[in-house]
């Protein structure tokens, strides 16, 4: 009920729509109404039917890594070496998708900054983003206004983390990230344009 008028309204803009959901029924409804990208923070683990919905469509699927679930993810998350652990997780998940008929060129991976990670873990992921290129999938990252920015700075509130977001975005782009998810689109886009111009 909430999604339908939003999807219909945005379809008029003739842009690719993405929806964030862990539920197969919501996925199918969105895809039937023209959505092209499904973003699942559980990487298709929450709902056993989700993988079949994706299999039977032509959409892109964003698989995000999260340790635990939204209620437990920040309760003392632990890793051996977080970038390698996440890379191993994605390797298994990509193989599972391919076995179920979902081609790799439809899969986008998101290391899940802030989802079951401490600020130290988030920094380690950012410093080692290139490790994910060997998986040969497009990489998406969401850094916008995340808490690790204020932890590295002066404990700013989310709305005051835009400069830090831009810095983190550009750092990620330098390491070959394909998609950045942001709140402040105009600011992020301007920063990207200038970065690209200066690289020429």
């Amino acid at each position: 009920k909430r999604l339908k008028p939003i999807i219909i309204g945005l379809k008029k803009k003739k842009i690719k729509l993405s929806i964030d959901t862990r539920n197969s029924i919501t996925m199918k409804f969105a895809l039937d109404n023209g959505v092209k990208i499904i973003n699942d923070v559980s990487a298709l683990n929450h709902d056993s039917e989700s993988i079949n919905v994706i299999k039977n469509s032509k959409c892109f699927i964003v698989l995000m890594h999260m340790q635990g679930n939204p209620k437990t993810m920040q309760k003392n998350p632990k890793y051996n070496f977080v970038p390698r652990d996440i890379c191993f997780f994605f390797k298994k998940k990509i193989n599972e998708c391919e076995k179920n008929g979902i081609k790799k060129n439809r899969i986008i991976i998101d290391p899940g900054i802030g989802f079951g990670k401490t600020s130290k873990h988030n920094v380690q992921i950012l410093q080692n983003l290139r490790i994910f290129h060997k998986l040969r999938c497009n990489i998406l990252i969401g850094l916008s206004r995340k808490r690790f920015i204020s932890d590295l700075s002066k404990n700013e509130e989310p709305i005051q983390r835009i400069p830090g977001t831009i810095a983190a975005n550009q750092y990620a782009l330098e390491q070959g990230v394909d998609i950045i998810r942001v709140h402040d689109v105009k600011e992020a886009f301007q920063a990207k344009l200038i970065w690209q111009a200066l690289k020429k």
Side-chain angles (χ1 to χ4, degrees):
K1 289 179 180 179
R2 289 183 297 168
L3 285 172
K4 191 170 184 178
I6 297 170
I7 292 172
I8 291 171
L10 288 173
K11 276 174 68 175
K12 295 175 184 177
K13 301 288 185 181
K14 295 182 179 179
I15 55 176
K16 285 184 180 179
L17 299 182
S18 168
I19 188 169
D20 185 340
T21 181
R22 299 181 295 163
N23 300 306
S24 62
I25 294 173
T26 308
M27 289 178 190
K28 189 173 187 312
F29 171 81
L31 293 169
D32 288 345
N33 284 276
V35 167
K36 303 297 184 185
I37 306 168
I38 300 293
N39 184 78
D40 186 344
V41 298
S42 79
L44 303 177
N45 288 325
H46 177 75
D47 184 333
S48 60
E49 188 58 29
S50 293
I51 197 162
N52 292 321
V53 173
I54 303 302
K55 172 185 176 179
N56 295 322
S57 77
K58 295 181 180 179
C59 72
F60 291 93
I61 174 68
V62 180
L63 303 175
M64 195 194 80
H65 176 273
M66 172 174 56
Q67 190 176 93
N69 60 59
K71 291 182 179 180
T72 65
M73 65 184 186
Q74 290 306 109
K75 294 181 179 179
N76 195 29
K78 291 182 179 179
Y79 299 88
N80 292 319
F81 179 58
V82 63
R84 192 181 301 117
D85 292 356
I86 294 174
C87 199
F88 181 69
F89 166 84
F90 280 135
K91 188 174 181 179
K92 287 172 57 179
K93 204 69 202 178
I94 292 165
N95 286 339
E96 180 186 342
C97 285
E98 289 187 306
K99 286 178 181 178
N100 279 275
I102 301 169
K103 292 183 178 179
K104 188 178 281 192
N105 61 7
R106 291 171 54 199
I107 299 171
I108 302 165
I109 56 173
D110 176 357
I113 296 293
F115 286 78
K117 288 100 178 169
T118 64
S119 287
K120 183 179 178 180
H121 291 145
N122 294 326
V123 170
Q124 286 179 334
I125 293 166
L126 285 170
Q127 290 175 333
N128 293 275
L129 281 172
R130 294 189 186 278
I131 195 174
F132 298 111
H133 289 303
K134 67 181 182 181
L135 296 170
R136 300 186 181 279
C137 290
N138 283 329
I139 303 169
L140 178 150
I141 199 156
L143 305 170
S144 188
R145 305 186 187 182
K146 291 285 176 78
R147 185 181 298 171
F148 83 94
I149 294 169
S150 63
D151 287 346
L152 294 174
S153 184
K154 297 179 180 179
N155 295 315
E156 295 90 346
E157 293 299 313
I159 192 61
Q160 298 173 314
R161 299 172 191 166
I162 298 171
T165 296
I166 291 171
N169 285 343
Q170 300 317 119
Y171 183 82
L173 289 169
E174 285 280 0
Q175 295 195 65
V177 164
D178 302 285
I179 307 167
I180 54 174
R181 184 173 55 234
V182 298
H183 297 91
D184 309 286
V185 178
K186 289 182 179 179
E187 292 83 350
F189 188 63
Q190 184 186 73
K192 185 185 176 186
L193 284 177
I194 301 305
W195 172 73
Q196 288 176 325
L198 294 173
K199 281 174 64 70
K200 290 181 180 178

